[in-house]
Amino acid sequence: MDASGNVTFPANATCSGTATGFGVSGKVLQYVVGTTTTQTYTGGTTYLDTGLTATITPSSGTKILVMVSQPTFTEMHNTSGQAEIYIQVLRDSTVLGRGSHGETLTSNGGWSNSQGTFSMMHLDTHGADGSTAVTYKTQYRHRGTAGQSYVQRTTEVGDNRATITLLEVAV
């Protein structure tokens, strides 16, 4: 060992024992994935569960990286007005973030739709103590004067699988 604490091993040397002092910050401790393909829709303005959920029991002092990928579809036909979909991500009953997806549709009696994927990442300070399960989920609502909004709708341009991934990260 030199004066700065570096160790040099000769070629073909074997080491045994336990390494210490390296820390674990940033290490993924566990992961949980939740999926759903169940289509649901609404024309209402109250947030409803999308069916996408995952539960994890994290240790005290860690964080959860929440990653969501959720197919969306908003449509209007034979009516006039505007339509858009809003999605929110929750830990238990606490809203972690909200967003809209797709363009604001405007129709004057014809057919108009918007489809895509809502994506969100959030690093959450959960506050659990190692024995308490924490549930993450998404909710959605319709915004507009007409039409309806869907999640997990099967379309010709992609599948309808929604995914929520939870990574417990040491800090």
Side-chain angles (χ1 to χ4, degrees):
M1 182 181 308
D2 65 19
S4 62
N6 296 318
V7 177
T8 303
F9 293 99
N12 298 322
T14 302
C15 294
S16 63
T18 302
T20 60
F22 293 103
V24 294
S25 183
K27 181 178 178 181
V28 174
L29 303 175
Q30 66 172 314
Y31 71 94
V32 174
V33 177
T35 64
T36 186
T37 57
T38 302
Q39 174 182 292
T40 184
Y41 69 94
T42 187
T45 58
T46 301
Y47 278 101
L48 304 171
D49 289 346
T50 66
L52 182 60
T53 183
T55 300
I56 192 167
T57 304
S59 299
S60 178
T62 61
K63 294 193 179 206
I64 303 294
L65 179 61
V66 182
M67 297 177 285
V68 174
S69 176
Q70 190 152 38
T72 64
F73 187 92
T74 302
E75 71 179 0
M76 290 184 6
H77 55 86
N78 299 325
T79 188
S80 296
Q82 294 182 322
E84 189 175 16
I85 186 171
Y86 280 20
I87 295 182
Q88 63 183 12
V89 179
L90 297 91
R91 174 193 359 98
D92 296 325
S93 61
T94 301
V95 176
L96 302 177
R98 288 186 172 125
S100 63
H101 189 265
E103 58 194 87
T104 300
L105 301 177
T106 303
S107 176
N108 291 315
W111 178 269
S112 184
N113 67 58
S114 175
Q115 58 190 1
T117 303
F118 171 82
S119 298
M120 183 176 173
M121 291 178 63
H122 176 81
L123 186 60
D124 185 39
T125 305
H126 53 78
D129 61 6
S131 63
T132 304
V134 181
T135 299
Y136 293 85
K137 68 180 181 178
T138 60
Q139 294 181 327
Y140 76 118
R141 74 176 183 91
H142 182 75
R143 176 184 174 269
T145 57
Q148 53 196 14
S149 295
Y150 296 78
V151 288
Q152 293 90 238
R153 178 172 171 169
T154 302
T155 65
E156 60 279 353
V157 295
D159 77 27
N160 62 334
R161 181 172 307 278
T163 305
I164 184 167
T165 304
L166 310 176
L167 300 176
E168 181 183 11
V169 181
V171 291

